C-alpha cells in the first residue's frame, strides 16, 4: 500500500527557534499533501493544503507566516514552524493524496511528529 | 457543510467481544466514507473505505457498510483482540472534494 513518511518523529526545541518537518510519499506521487495538528485526545485539525508547485491554502485561524509550507516536488512537502513557542507544542501529522483516474481519492497519513517547545 | 458524528468513547471491551462503533454523516451527494485507526503515539492508518451506497469495506476482521438511507457507516468486528486497542476515526470526502472531514474519534480499549 501507499506509504508516507515523516521526519523527524519527535523534536524538542527551545522557544524562538524554527523547526522543519518533512513529509514524503515513498511509493507514489502526491500532487496534494495536507498538514494536520492534533491535540491530546482530540481529532485532527486541518491546518493547510499543500499543492505541488503552488502556494499552500491555509485554514481559517492558521498563521501562514508562522507555519511555512513548501511543496517543492511530487513526493515532498515541508512544514516549518517559525519562532516556535510552547503553545506550538503538538502532534503534527501530514497526509498525501493518492488520486488514480477512476479510483476514489484516498489520503495516506504519515506517522506524525511530536514537537515539544521548551 | 459536511460533518461526521461518532459515538463517544471511551469504549472498553473484553477480548473476543463484539464491537460496534456508530458513525453517521451529513453530506450532499454521495461522499466516500472511511475508517482510520490510530495506535498510541502513531499517525493514522487507513482501515477500510467504501465509495458508494451498499458497498462494504472490510479489513483485518473489521467491516463497515455504506448505508445511504440512514447516512451511516458503522464499524463492526466480531471478536476484538487486545491489539485492536486504539482510537478509531470515521471520515468522509465529499463529492467533488478531496478534503477529509473527520469525526472526533472513539477510543477503544480491549482488556484480556
Amino acid at each position: 500500500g501507499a506509504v508516507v513518511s515523516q521526519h523527524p518523529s519527535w523534536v524538542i526545541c527551545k522557544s524562538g527557534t524554527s523547526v522543519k518537518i518533512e513529509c514524503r510519499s515513498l511509493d507514489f506521487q502526491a500532487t496534494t499533501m495536507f498538514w494536520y495538528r492534533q491535540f491530546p485526545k482530540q481529532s485532527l485539525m486541518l491546518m493547510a493544503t499543500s499543492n505541488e508547485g503552488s502556494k499552500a491554502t491555509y485554514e481559517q485561524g492558521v498563521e501562514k507566516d508562522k507555519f511555512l509550507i513548501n511543496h517543492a516536488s511530487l513526493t515532498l512537502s515541508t512544514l516549518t514552524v517559525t519562532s516556535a513557542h510552547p503553545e506550538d507544542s503538538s502532534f503534527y501529522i501530514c497526509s498525501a493524496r493518492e488520486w488514480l483516474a477512476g479510483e476514489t481519492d484516498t489520503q495516506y497519513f504519515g506517522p506524525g511528529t511530536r514537537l515539544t517547545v521548551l | 457543510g459536511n460533518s461526521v458524528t461518532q459515538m463517544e468513547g471511551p469504549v472498553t471491551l473484553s477480548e473476543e467481544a463484539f464491537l460496534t462503533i456508530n458513525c453517521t454523516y451529513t453530506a450532499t451527494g454521495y461522499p466516500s466514507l472511511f475508517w482510520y485507526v490510530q495506535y498510541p503515539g502513531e499517525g493514522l492508518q487507513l482501515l477500510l473505505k467504501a465509495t458508494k451506497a451498499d458497498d462494504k469495506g472490510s479489513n483485518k476482521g473489521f467491516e463497515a457498510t455504506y448505508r445511504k438511507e440512514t447516512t451511516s457507516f458503522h464499524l463492526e468486528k466480531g471478536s476484538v483482540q487486545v491489539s485492536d486497542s486504539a482510537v478509531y476515526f470515521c471520515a468522509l470526502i465529499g463529492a467533488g472534494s478531496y478534503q477529509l472531514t473527520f469525526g472526533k474519534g472513539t477510543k477503544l480499549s480491549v482488556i484480556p
Side-chain angles (χ1 to χ4, degrees):
Chain A
V3 179
V4 176
S5 70
Q6 272 184 251
H7 178 79
S9 55
W10 58 270
V11 57
I12 302 173
C13 69
K14 293 182 178 180
S15 185
T17 60
S18 295
V19 174
K20 180 185 283 188
I21 303 170
E22 291 186 351
C23 177
R24 293 181 185 271
S25 56
L26 297 185
D27 49 3
F28 67 100
Q29 293 184 331
T31 55
T32 306
M33 290 184 172
F34 303 86
W35 287 96
Y36 296 85
R37 185 172 179 176
Q38 186 179 33
F39 293 99
K41 299 183 180 180
Q42 294 190 27
S43 189
L44 280 71
M45 180 191 80
L46 178 64
M47 298 175 65
T49 301
S50 168
N51 292 298
E52 187 266 339
S54 64
K55 291 184 179 180
T57 303
Y58 291 82
E59 296 300 302
Q60 192 172 9
V62 178
E63 299 176 62
K64 62 180 180 181
D65 294 331
K66 181 167 189 60
F67 298 100
L68 300 179
I69 292 171
N70 183 278
H71 193 159
S73 78
L74 288 172
T75 59
L76 173 64
S77 176
T78 60
L79 168 68
T80 301
V81 183
T82 62
S83 187
H85 291 284
E87 57 266 28
D88 300 322
S89 299
S90 193
F91 194 50
Y92 293 88
I93 305 176
C94 74
S95 71
R97 172 193 178 206
E98 182 180 45
W99 180 82
L100 300 173
E103 298 286 331
T104 303
D105 247 292
T106 302
Q107 285 187 33
Y108 295 93
F109 286 79
T113 297
R114 173 75 58 194
L115 170 63
T116 302
V117 185
L118 303 177
Chain B
N2 299 331
S3 68
V4 176
T5 304
Q6 283 181 243
M7 63 184 286
E8 292 193 16
V11 174
T12 301
L13 295 174
S14 297
E15 207 165 19
E16 299 184 0
F18 184 86
L19 168 71
T20 300
I21 300 178
N22 289 337
C23 171
T24 57
Y25 66 90
T26 301
T28 55
Y30 290 84
S32 296
L33 304 174
F34 305 83
W35 276 101
Y36 284 89
V37 58
Q38 185 178 31
Y39 297 101
E42 298 183 11
L44 274 68
Q45 298 178 25
L46 177 64
L47 182 59
L48 52 85
K49 64 182 180 182
T51 60
K52 58 184 187 294
D54 299 325
D55 266 2
K56 178 186 284 187
S58 62
N59 186 27
K60 299 181 180 179
F62 291 90
E63 294 182 341
T65 301
Y66 189 145
R67 301 290 187 197
K68 181 66 175 176
E69 63 277 12
T70 54
T71 61
S72 65
F73 193 54
H74 305 321
L75 182 68
E76 297 182 336
K77 186 174 185 181
S79 176
V80 294
Q81 305 301 313
V82 173
S83 56
D84 294 326
S85 298
V87 179
Y88 292 81
F89 291 94
C90 185
L92 67 82
I93 293 179
S97 173
Y98 53 79
Q99 287 190 347
L100 276 167
T101 299
F102 283 98
K104 292 187 176 181
T106 303
K107 183 177 181 179
L108 169 67
S109 296
V110 180
I111 54 177

